[in-house]
Amino acid sequence: MDLIPRPGRATTREGGFFELGPDTKVLAGEGTEATDHWLRTTLGAATGLPLAPGAGEDDVVRLSLDGELGAEGYRLAVVPSGVHLTGGGPAGLFWGAQTLRQLLGPDAFRRAPLPGRQWRLPLTEVEDAPRFRWRGLMLDVARHFMPKDGVLRYLDLMAAHKLNVLHFHLTDDQGWRVEIKRYPKLTGTGSWRARTKFGHRASPLWEEKPHGGHYTQDDIREIVAYAAERHITVVPEIDLPGHSQAAIAAYPELGNTDVVDTAGLTVWDTWGISPNVLAPTDRTLRFYEGVFEELLGLFPSEFIHVGGDECPKEQWRQSPAAQARIKELGLADEDELQAWFIKHFDRWLTARGRRLIGWDEILEGGLAAGAAVSSWRGYAGGVAAARAGHDVVMCPEQQVYLDHRQDAGPDEPVPIGYVRTLEDVYRFEPVPPELTPEEAGHVLGPQANVWTEVMESPARVDYQVFPRLAAFAEVAWSDLPAPAERDFAGFERRMAAHYRRLDALGVAYRPPGGPLPWQRRPGVLGRPIDGRPPNK
């Protein structure tokens, strides 16, 4: 079977099929209504079959729940008389439906039926459950805005690969993407920039036209609801105290006004790390509390991401107000001032029943017990966090940053970072071997990060993300052996079928033989790094 991600146990009986037809009924047990609806709308559209509700012993797809399988586990049995799909919970049932779709063939991923198509399922038994509870994709819509329909499309692509957390990077120096009603200038001013650097920040090329966009609160509600129907949690990120120039451009009083004429700042039009950071004032704290109050009403997620990374300290060093704040709070230096920012929102979110998560720099000032860490600067932050009793999402840049180039060839578009091939991603191991079993239990799971500085269109995002996201999904879901022992050749054979699924979904992936002519970006400067990335 060409299933991706690879299931825990799967057997196929030779010489037999169950064929779905116009008389095939769906018998939906209690608690299976959401997957029943998905089968009718998504598989029904692809196959042209009514999949009407019904009962009986033959020609029926049965949906049921069995709590002994675990919330995200499922069992799929295809016999001559039909299909029995059982989930440990609604999520497990839905993941089983994704496996059923793969077994139907690539055309089951289309939005309308092809003429004369037969829908045969091999006689099969599959029993499966995920290795990790957090199987994430971070999508950066701050640098290049992705319209709502593109986000909904990526939620469908995530669901097809059994990924279940969308980390939604909504704010940065280059744009603020979520409507906050009490602060309308965050999107009125902060959601667009006058022009955009094309390529790496050292590139001499500019796209001399405004770029922007934002999601209304109703857009966010729609995205969150659409994700929930697919058992995907949306975790929003509002970056602070660094990566905040778009917010300061909208509300200059948020910046260090005693050092910089913040009224003259605009949304940043290049890449890198802006020196313009938030001022450590009570006014700033109250402002962002107002932001988070509205966010909590939009995102029901357990975790709220506050960024906390890459905060230059020079303005604080020069600012009399910041220095006075350091003295008033009894802090040692500017690094402790950054930790004070994070601790404030750690306490604030905890008091409201949520958990703070941030990039691994937040470890440097100490955290509340419930806070979690996104380990991006390699594995070290994750190891330190797990040993300190904090939950960890493993997303080391050297391994699973999908903006990094996929090949060393000269035709790769805007080459960034280390070469990270499909095989490299397949051999990524989220749990550092030096952790004890108890410490390893703090690894919630892995996450692939998609930073969009050099991804100026949805097609460019597709090119960087796929096919590597398929390899990442198998790492996140399947109980694989140690990296060196993984059967990459077998995975490649299964990918031959999976490319046809991606074709049916309209994904502009990087072909195995290299970029197509229109996927190249000749003359656009990147930032390639030679050699193998550090594995630490």
Side-chain angles (χ1 to χ4, degrees):
M1 284 181 285
D2 296 319
L3 297 174
I4 291 178
R6 191 187 76 183
R9 183 180 67 82
T11 57
T12 301
R13 194 189 316 167
E14 296 293 334
F17 295 91
F18 167 66
E19 186 167 329
L20 280 74
D23 295 325
T24 302
K25 302 292 190 293
V26 178
L27 175 58
E30 185 178 354
T32 69
E33 295 81 6
T35 296
D36 178 35
H37 175 73
W38 183 87
L39 287 171
R40 291 185 213 291
T41 55
T42 304
L43 284 189
T47 62
L49 301 175
L51 301 176
E57 296 299 321
D58 295 321
D59 204 10
V60 64
V61 177
R62 291 179 175 83
L63 306 177
S64 62
L65 299 180
D66 179 355
E68 292 188 5
L69 291 173
E72 290 194 280
Y74 68 89
R75 184 169 55 242
L76 173 64
V78 182
V79 296
S81 61
V83 177
H84 192 177
L85 177 57
T86 307
L93 190 75
F94 182 72
W95 304 133
Q98 301 307 311
T99 299
L100 177 65
R101 186 189 196 186
Q102 289 196 17
L103 290 171
L104 282 168
D107 289 338
F109 290 78
R110 298 187 181 275
R111 296 188 183 184
L114 300 182
R117 183 71 166 83
Q118 289 183 308
W119 300 102
R120 284 182 159 186
L121 287 167
L123 302 184
T124 302
E125 287 188 12
V126 178
E127 189 156 343
D128 201 10
R131 178 185 177 192
F132 293 105
R133 60 170 278 205
W134 184 299
R135 306 180 299 281
L137 176 70
M138 191 227 68
L139 190 59
D140 168 22
V141 296
R143 273 54 175 270
H144 277 102
F145 178 65
M146 180 177 284
K148 180 189 67 178
D149 284 353
V151 178
L152 299 179
R153 173 176 175 263
Y154 258 82
L155 289 168
D156 280 329
L157 292 171
M158 290 176 64
H161 292 83
K162 299 185 173 74
L163 300 176
N164 69 342
V165 178
L166 174 65
H167 173 171
F168 210 15
H169 184 77
L170 289 164
T171 73
D172 218 297
D173 298 309
Q174 297 85 2
W176 184 287
R177 305 296 179 211
V178 57
E179 177 189 25
I180 303 297
K181 291 185 180 294
R182 72 187 73 183
Y183 306 129
K185 288 192 287 186
L186 284 172
T187 48
T189 298
S191 70
W192 70 275
R193 56 182 180 263
R195 63 176 186 168
T196 298
K197 177 69 72 172
F198 192 28
H200 183 254
R201 59 180 174 271
S203 167
L205 303 177
W206 293 88
E207 187 178 37
E208 296 285 355
K209 67 178 183 181
H211 175 86
H214 73 275
Y215 310 104
T216 67
Q217 293 200 355
D218 282 344
D219 291 337
I220 293 293
R221 292 184 182 97
E222 180 183 356
I223 288 167
V224 169
Y226 194 85
E229 289 173 355
R230 287 147 184 80
H231 300 278
I232 296 171
T233 299
V234 184
V235 174
E237 179 182 353
I238 301 294
D239 222 332
L240 60 86
H243 287 291
S244 298
Q245 184 165 325
I248 297 168
Y251 291 93
E253 64 271 21
L254 296 174
N256 295 283
T257 56
D258 55 348
V259 176
V260 178
D261 177 16
T262 56
L265 292 177
T266 60
V267 177
W268 218 26
D269 57 12
T270 189
W271 314 126
I273 305 170
S274 169
N276 294 295
V277 302
L278 297 175
T281 64
D282 288 342
R283 173 189 282 180
T284 300
L285 297 182
R286 301 293 88 75
F287 183 97
Y288 274 84
E289 287 171 2
V291 169
F292 284 117
E293 281 176 5
E294 294 194 24
L295 280 182
L296 296 188
L298 297 171
F299 295 94
S301 55
E302 175 185 4
F303 289 99
I304 302 294
H305 206 292
V306 300
D309 63 322
E310 297 180 327
C311 179
K313 310 296 192 302
E314 189 57 33
Q315 288 185 0
W316 290 348
R317 293 187 186 100
Q318 297 176 8
S319 165
Q323 292 301 309
R325 197 72 199 250
I326 289 172
K327 184 176 181 180
E328 172 197 339
L329 295 169
L331 304 177
D333 54 22
E334 293 78 15
D335 290 335
E336 288 196 6
L337 187 61
Q338 180 177 350
W340 167 80
F341 254 109
I342 299 302
K343 285 179 178 178
H344 175 86
F345 288 101
D346 191 359
R347 292 190 297 269
W348 191 91
L349 288 167
T350 299
R352 287 154 182 81
R354 305 298 185 95
R355 295 177 66 187
L356 178 144
I357 185 169
W359 303 111
D360 55 51
E361 286 95 328
I362 69 172
L363 277 169
E364 294 162 8
L367 291 172
V373 171
S374 300
S375 185
W376 76 274
R377 295 179 298 177
Y379 287 92
V383 170
R387 286 177 171 167
H390 294 290
D391 287 339
V392 180
V393 174
M394 294 302 304
C395 50
E397 64 171 329
Q398 304 90 341
Q399 313 298 328
V400 287
Y401 268 34
L402 299 186
D403 50 315
H404 282 211
R405 58 190 173 139
Q406 303 182 65
D407 190 89
D411 288 336
E412 290 303 310
V414 199
I416 299 295
Y418 293 103
V419 172
R420 294 285 81 198
T421 65
L422 184 68
E423 182 173 0
D424 290 329
V425 174
Y426 190 67
R427 298 193 189 280
F428 164 59
E429 172 50 48
V431 179
E434 61 264 43
L435 294 181
T436 67
E438 182 181 359
E439 292 164 349
H442 284 291
V443 178
L444 300 177
Q447 180 172 286
N449 291 347
V450 183
W451 299 104
T452 62
E453 288 95 332
V454 300
M455 301 180 207
E456 76 285 354
S457 68
R460 278 287 289 124
V461 176
D462 277 7
Y463 180 92
Q464 292 300 130
V465 171
F466 289 99
R468 292 183 295 181
L469 193 69
F472 173 81
E474 185 147 313
V475 169
W477 177 276
S478 306
D479 191 9
L480 298 177
E485 300 168 11
R486 292 177 187 172
D487 181 12
F488 180 68
F491 176 77
E492 278 193 307
R493 286 193 294 272
R494 286 180 284 128
M495 277 301 299
H498 201 67
Y499 285 118
R500 296 197 297 275
R501 298 178 191 128
L502 297 179
D503 288 334
L505 287 165
V507 176
Y509 58 84
R510 181 190 188 274
L516 299 168
W518 55 87
Q519 293 176 319
R520 300 167 188 163
R521 297 290 185 275
V524 181
L525 185 67
R527 186 184 62 92
I529 303 175
D530 293 331
R532 297 285 299 176
N535 193 27
K536 60 182 181 179

